[in-house]
Amino acid sequence: MDELEQEAFLKSRFETLLDEFEEADALELYDINAEAEEYYKDFLEAGFDADLVAMLLSRDDVVRHYDELTEYGATIDIEDLV
């Protein structure tokens, strides 16, 4: 996959996850969290909004990747996570 194809793929997956997130039940949310965790670093490196990336992740994943998320500009209140 070349760079343009990769960028288009990531944009498509990110937008789909955001759309699905809005109407997700608990089971669907688990799947969204899992896929977001798989691609979170790619999303950040592609320049997607770090706060939205963090929103798609589970609480545990946000805690695990806190440093990276905040380096890319996510505003996360650690007190809300514990």
Side-chain angles (χ1 to χ4, degrees):
M1 188 179 304
D2 71 19
E3 189 174 330
L4 287 177
E5 289 173 327
Q6 177 73 5
E7 186 177 312
F9 169 79
L10 289 173
K11 183 176 185 199
S12 172
R13 290 311 310 145
F14 188 70
E15 289 175 355
T16 299
L17 289 173
L18 287 174
D19 289 342
E20 292 173 351
F21 182 84
E22 292 178 15
E23 299 179 19
D25 61 26
L27 184 58
E28 293 167 330
L29 190 56
Y30 178 83
D31 291 338
I32 292 167
N33 294 156
E35 186 170 351
E37 207 278 329
E38 179 180 346
Y39 292 109
Y40 87 94
K41 186 70 172 181
D42 295 323
F43 291 155
L44 293 173
E45 289 175 353
F48 299 131
D49 186 312
D51 285 321
L52 293 178
V53 173
M55 178 186 75
L56 294 171
L57 295 169
S58 70
R59 287 174 160 249
D60 289 343
D61 291 335
V62 171
V63 170
R64 184 176 17 263
H65 303 300
Y66 178 84
D67 290 336
E68 290 172 294
L69 290 165
T70 56
E71 283 175 20
Y72 280 90
T75 52
I76 301 165
D77 185 354
I78 198 71
E79 295 294 321
D80 290 339
L81 296 175
V82 289

